[in-house]
Amino acid sequence: MSPPHGDPGLATALYVARRGTGLTLRQLGQEAGGIDYVALKRLEQRLSRDANLRQLANRLLDQKN
């Protein structure tokens, strides 16, 4: 199962989950219902390019603490 291309909500949720839980991409994919590793890697790459999306994700992480 692959997420829809360009889904910023899913990208943000997975980024926060990875940073907040320490789970691997493979583990997150399994927990998210079978999203494959390549799809998760693509989402991480988008976050590295999209400063606004990364800033949103980091604000979510800051609220967790």
Side-chain angles (χ1 to χ4, degrees):
M1 175 174 146
S2 291
H5 287 286
D7 183 345
L10 180 58
T12 305
L14 291 172
Y15 178 81
V16 170
R18 183 156 192 216
R19 297 268 315 270
T21 66
L23 293 174
T24 66
L25 288 175
R26 184 177 307 274
Q27 291 168 321
L28 283 171
Q30 291 170 345
E31 292 297 323
I35 297 171
D36 64 71
Y37 174 83
V38 174
L40 291 173
K41 198 67 179 169
R42 192 179 328 118
L43 292 170
E44 275 200 335
Q45 290 169 350
R46 176 163 181 204
L47 280 163
S48 72
R49 292 187 311 268
D50 187 333
N52 290 330
L53 188 57
R54 188 173 55 251
Q55 183 180 27
L56 171 64
N58 287 328
R59 282 197 315 255
L60 291 170
L61 283 166
D62 289 343
Q63 288 180 8
K64 177 184 161 252
N65 296 326

